[in-house]
Amino acid sequence: MLTIGAFAKASRLSPKALRLYDELELLRPARVDPGTGYRYYAAEQLGQARLVAWLRRLGMPLARIRRVCALQPGPAAREIGAYWAGVEAETAARRDLAAFLVDQLSPSPGKETTMLELRCSALTDTGLVREANQDSVHAGARVLAVADGCGPGGAPASTAAVRALTFLDDEPLSAGGVLNLLEDAVEGAAQAVADLVPRHATAGAPDGGGTGSTLTALVWTGSRLALVHIGDSRAYVLRDGGLFRITHDHTVVQSMIDEGRLTPEEAATHPQRALLLRALGSAASVPDLRLQDVRPGDRYLLCSDGLSTVVPDEGIERLLASAPDPDTAVRALVGAANDAGGPDNISCVVADVVEAARPAGLRFG
């Protein structure tokens, strides 16, 4: 029998990693001393330990490594091959995203002098399963927003969240000061949601059962967009034929994906996939805030998870790319979600960035 230290050295896994793999039932010790709790390993376990170490070097999530280790050599080899094919596909997508970000952040002559405007459309639908619609949408002179309420007061919570931003429709905004205004507005939105019910009940989705709301919004300055995001509603941009998600879900399963404990495929069926880590009306209500550079031809989508959980990104990209205008796009997206069963409320805002012959503004298309 090998001590945990000797086994760690032989397998090139740290004692800390071995203890984690024991807890996850990925690599259990051959014996645990009942008195001291000290772990001992058999020499025959070195092969599996080295396999785990190699798979971790590949970047394979622990949940998938567990599957590989349970297979016979032939199926295990095919599983590793399938994983690597997925990595190569994801790397290609990340390369495209990196190119998008480099392009977005690189100075562009004339970017600030081109006159731009937005043409947008919004649509919300109850779906085919829910009895009531707890989503809210807004497409005003400057503010585009989607909010998805949760809990017993979900509908008024999402309405309050969106209304707290609508005063920005009438504010003179500059790219330099809009984030400060937006941060104050979100604080007002969080307070508006919290005021709907007694403090002990405003746990929001992160604490399981209280009233709360997601909020994803874009505020137009005439040359750039300011993004605010909290929860699992999403924002996308369709640029040069490619779809890019510009928000990060604040959910339990997304955090597990980030940590390598789940794959996106596993997350799609995880029992806690709807559990939020951040939402308005909860203690964890700090939003993501940033400026988004725009280009003529960009098409932006804000949506609740009633769309994104049932229509894959490829389907969203196809529908956004083929729609001739924002109104057609939102109707097609809501229709696709209902065609997929419509298990939740569905809300979409689509906005096109176009060159204008007059000072930048917003008109509905």
Side-chain angles (χ1 to χ4, degrees), residues 58-263:
L58 281 179
M60 184 178 287
L62 293 174
R64 193 156 186 173
I65 291 176
R66 185 184 296 112
R67 292 209 306 266
V68 171
C69 290
L71 296 173
Q72 294 298 314
R78 290 191 290 272
E79 179 71 13
I80 294 169
Y83 166 74
W84 192 248
V87 169
E88 290 182 324
E90 181 186 355
T91 300
R94 290 171 65 192
R95 181 182 62 243
D96 292 343
L97 177 58
F100 163 75
L101 292 172
V102 168
D103 179 73
Q104 176 178 297
L105 297 173
S106 298
S108 176
K111 180 183 289 185
E112 296 298 328
T113 60
T114 302
M115 305 301 287
L116 301 173
E117 67 180 12
L118 296 184
R119 295 175 181 170
C120 67
S121 185
L123 185 63
T124 185
D125 189 86
T126 304
L128 304 179
V129 175
R130 299 292 177 89
E131 294 183 357
N133 193 346
Q134 293 190 315
D135 287 0
S136 293
V137 296
H138 177 80
R142 298 182 184 275
V143 178
L144 314 172
V146 167
D148 180 358
C150 52
S158 67
T159 300
V162 169
R163 283 181 178 171
L165 299 186
T166 56
F167 79 95
L168 294 172
D169 277 332
D170 303 317
E171 289 287 322
L173 301 175
S174 67
V178 67
L179 289 183
N180 290 333
L181 282 172
L182 195 51
E183 185 173 19
D184 291 342
V186 173
E187 289 181 4
Q191 188 59 54
V193 173
D195 287 344
L196 289 172
V197 289
R199 172 61 61 181
H200 71 272
T202 56
D207 298 323
T211 290
S213 180
T214 72
L215 178 63
T216 301
L218 292 168
V219 179
W220 177 241
T221 70
S223 61
R224 303 176 86 182
L225 287 164
L227 170 71
V228 58
H229 167 67
I230 185 167
D232 64 351
S233 296
R234 291 182 175 180
Y236 297 84
V237 60
L238 183 73
R239 175 177 290 180
D240 296 332
L243 184 70
F244 304 95
R245 178 150 59 102
I246 58 174
T247 54
H248 195 70
D249 293 347
H250 300 142
T251 60
V252 169
V253 295
Q254 183 61 59
S255 70
M256 296 172 74
I257 293 172
D258 296 341
E259 295 166 1
R261 298 166 60 193
L262 279 182
T263 66

Side-chain angles (χ1 to χ4, degrees), residues 2-22 26-29 41 45-58 60 62 65 69:
L2 299 174
T3 65
I4 189 172
F7 191 77
K9 185 175 182 180
S11 64
R12 298 186 179 181
L13 290 168
S14 68
K16 180 179 179 181
L18 289 172
R19 286 190 286 269
L20 172 63
Y21 299 159
D22 180 12
L26 180 60
L27 184 61
R28 304 304 299 268
Y41 294 82
Q45 294 180 280
L46 282 172
Q48 183 179 3
R50 288 168 180 155
L51 175 60
V52 170
W54 290 329
L55 293 176
R56 287 300 287 162
R57 289 179 63 187
L58 281 179
M60 184 178 287
L62 293 174
I65 291 176
C69 290

Side-chain angles (χ1 to χ4, degrees), residues 267-342:
T269 57
H270 195 279
Q272 291 183 313
R273 61 187 178 278
L275 189 60
L276 300 179
L277 291 176
R278 285 194 250 169
L280 295 177
S282 74
S285 60
V286 179
D288 297 335
L289 289 164
R290 73 168 186 275
L291 285 173
Q292 175 82 16
D293 282 342
V294 300
R295 288 167 48 183
D298 284 351
R299 172 166 283 181
Y300 286 86
L301 166 67
L302 306 180
C303 66
S304 62
D305 66 339
L307 173 71
S308 58
T309 57
V310 296
V311 180
D313 284 0
E314 313 87 75
I316 292 174
E317 179 178 339
R318 177 178 53 80
L319 292 170
L320 284 176
S322 62
D325 54 67
D327 187 62
T328 304
V330 294
R331 294 180 185 280
L333 291 165
V334 170
N338 279 326
D339 288 344

